[in-house]
Amino acid sequence: QLVGPYLFIHSRDSKMVKVRAHELRSKSKQELLNQLKELKSELSGLRVAKVTGGATNKLSKIKIVRKSIARVLTVYRQNQLTALKTKIEEDAKNKSKVCQDCRVLQGCGRRQ
Protein backbone atom coordinates (compact mmCIF):
# COMPACT_ATOMS: atom_id res chain seq x y z
CA GLN A 1 0.00 0.00 0.00
CA LEU A 2 1.48 3.31 -1.10
CA VAL A 3 1.13 6.13 1.41
CA GLY A 4 3.01 9.36 0.76
CA PRO A 5 6.61 8.90 -0.30
CA TYR A 6 6.97 5.60 1.59
CA LEU A 7 5.78 2.10 0.93
CA PHE A 8 4.29 0.54 4.05
CA ILE A 9 4.07 -3.20 4.30
CA HIS A 10 1.28 -4.52 6.47
CA SER A 11 1.64 -7.89 8.14
CA ARG A 12 -0.59 -9.94 10.40
CA ASP A 13 1.74 -9.59 13.39
CA SER A 14 2.35 -5.85 13.29
CA LYS A 15 0.54 -2.87 11.86
CA MET A 16 3.48 -1.26 10.04
CA VAL A 17 7.02 -2.46 9.61
CA LYS A 18 8.71 0.64 8.24
CA VAL A 19 9.02 3.50 10.69
CA ARG A 20 9.86 7.14 10.13
CA ALA A 21 12.55 8.85 12.16
CA HIS A 22 10.56 12.04 12.75
CA GLU A 23 7.76 9.97 14.28
CA LEU A 24 10.23 8.23 16.58
CA ARG A 25 11.69 11.49 17.88
CA SER A 26 8.42 12.36 19.60
CA LYS A 27 8.36 9.07 21.54
CA SER A 28 9.68 8.56 25.04
CA LYS A 29 12.62 6.37 26.00
CA GLN A 30 10.39 3.52 27.18
CA GLU A 31 8.26 3.63 24.02
CA LEU A 32 11.41 3.41 21.89
CA LEU A 33 12.66 0.42 23.87
CA ASN A 34 9.28 -1.31 23.56
CA GLN A 35 9.23 -0.76 19.80
CA LEU A 36 12.80 -2.03 19.56
CA LYS A 37 11.80 -5.17 21.45
CA GLU A 38 8.85 -5.76 19.10
CA LEU A 39 10.97 -5.27 16.01
CA LYS A 40 13.65 -7.64 17.26
CA SER A 41 11.07 -10.34 18.00
CA GLU A 42 9.59 -9.85 14.54
CA LEU A 43 13.07 -10.13 13.01
CA SER A 44 13.72 -13.40 14.84
CA GLY A 45 10.40 -14.76 13.56
CA LEU A 46 11.32 -13.76 10.02
CA ARG A 47 14.70 -15.46 10.35
CA VAL A 48 13.00 -18.65 11.51
CA ALA A 49 10.69 -18.42 8.48
CA LYS A 50 13.74 -18.02 6.27
CA VAL A 51 15.34 -21.20 7.63
CA THR A 52 12.12 -23.20 7.35
CA GLY A 53 11.61 -22.06 3.77
CA GLY A 54 8.98 -19.37 4.26
CA ALA A 55 7.28 -17.23 1.67
CA THR A 56 9.32 -14.78 -0.35
CA ASN A 57 7.43 -11.77 1.01
CA LYS A 58 8.68 -12.66 4.49
CA LEU A 59 12.24 -12.92 3.21
CA SER A 60 12.07 -9.47 1.64
CA LYS A 61 10.74 -8.01 4.92
CA ILE A 62 13.95 -8.89 6.79
CA LYS A 63 15.80 -5.93 5.25
CA ILE A 64 13.00 -3.51 6.13
CA VAL A 65 12.85 -4.69 9.75
CA ARG A 66 16.63 -4.46 10.12
CA LYS A 67 16.60 -0.87 8.85
CA SER A 68 13.71 -0.04 11.18
CA ILE A 69 15.72 -1.38 14.12
CA ALA A 70 18.63 0.81 13.04
CA ARG A 71 16.35 3.86 12.91
CA VAL A 72 15.03 3.21 16.41
CA LEU A 73 18.54 2.76 17.80
CA THR A 74 19.74 5.91 16.04
CA VAL A 75 16.93 8.04 17.48
CA TYR A 76 17.47 6.50 20.92
CA ARG A 77 21.18 7.38 20.81
CA GLN A 78 20.44 10.90 19.56
CA ASN A 79 18.07 11.43 22.49
CA GLN A 80 20.77 10.23 24.89
CA LEU A 81 23.33 12.61 23.39
CA THR A 82 21.02 15.63 23.49
CA ALA A 83 20.20 14.90 27.15
CA LEU A 84 23.92 14.63 27.91
CA LYS A 85 24.65 17.84 26.02
CA THR A 86 22.00 19.77 27.98
CA LYS A 87 23.44 18.37 31.21
CA ILE A 88 26.90 19.58 30.22
CA GLU A 89 25.56 23.02 29.35
CA GLU A 90 23.73 23.29 32.68
CA ASP A 91 26.85 22.25 34.55
CA ALA A 92 28.89 24.83 32.63
CA LYS A 93 26.40 27.54 33.59
CA ASN A 94 26.64 26.55 37.23
CA LYS A 95 30.44 26.52 36.98
CA SER A 96 30.55 23.22 38.77
CA LYS A 97 33.20 20.66 38.02
CA VAL A 98 32.12 18.37 35.18
CA CYS A 99 32.74 14.66 35.51
CA GLN A 100 35.27 13.13 33.14
CA ASP A 101 32.64 11.16 31.23
CA CYS A 102 30.49 14.26 30.59
CA ARG A 103 33.12 16.77 29.51
CA VAL A 104 33.71 17.75 25.92
CA LEU A 105 36.74 16.03 24.43
CA GLN A 106 39.33 18.50 23.22
CA GLY A 107 43.09 18.67 23.03
CA CYS A 108 45.07 18.76 26.27
CA GLY A 109 45.99 22.42 25.86
CA ARG A 110 42.41 23.63 25.34
CA ARG A 111 40.70 21.61 28.07
CA GLN A 112 40.42 23.64 31.25
Side-chain angles (χ1 to χ4, degrees):
Q1 187 178 25
L2 189 62
V3 179
Y6 293 101
L7 178 68
F8 290 98
I9 297 176
H10 296 279
S11 68
R12 293 180 184 157
D13 300 333
S14 66
K15 295 177 184 173
M16 279 186 249
V17 177
K18 190 167 185 176
V19 294
R20 293 182 178 185
H22 69 88
E23 293 171 356
L24 293 174
R25 287 191 180 95
S26 62
K27 292 188 177 185
S28 68
K29 176 182 175 180
Q30 193 59 40
E31 290 174 339
L32 287 174
L33 292 175
N34 288 340
Q35 186 164 6
L36 182 65
K37 190 176 186 181
E38 291 172 8
L39 286 169
K40 284 187 176 185
S41 65
E42 186 176 354
L43 181 63
S44 66
L46 290 172
R47 286 183 174 157
V48 168
K50 178 182 176 183
V51 171
T52 58
T56 56
N57 62 348
K58 286 189 176 184
L59 298 180
S60 63
K61 241 199 275 189
I62 291 176
K63 180 179 178 182
I64 296 169
V65 173
R66 286 180 59 227
K67 289 186 178 277
S68 296
I69 289 172
R71 281 188 192 96
V72 171
L73 288 172
T74 300
V75 170
Y76 181 74
R77 180 67 177 149
Q78 285 174 347
N79 289 345
Q80 280 183 334
L81 290 176
T82 54
L84 184 65
K85 188 180 276 188
T86 56
K87 181 182 176 187
I88 291 171
E89 289 172 357
E90 288 174 4
D91 288 344
K93 287 179 184 177
N94 296 335
K95 300 288 183 186
S96 63
K97 191 170 184 178
V98 180
C99 66
Q100 283 189 332
D101 294 334
C102 299
R103 65 185 177 175
V104 179
L105 294 178
Q106 297 174 346
C108 301
R110 288 187 267 161
R111 188 184 306 137
Q112 294 177 5

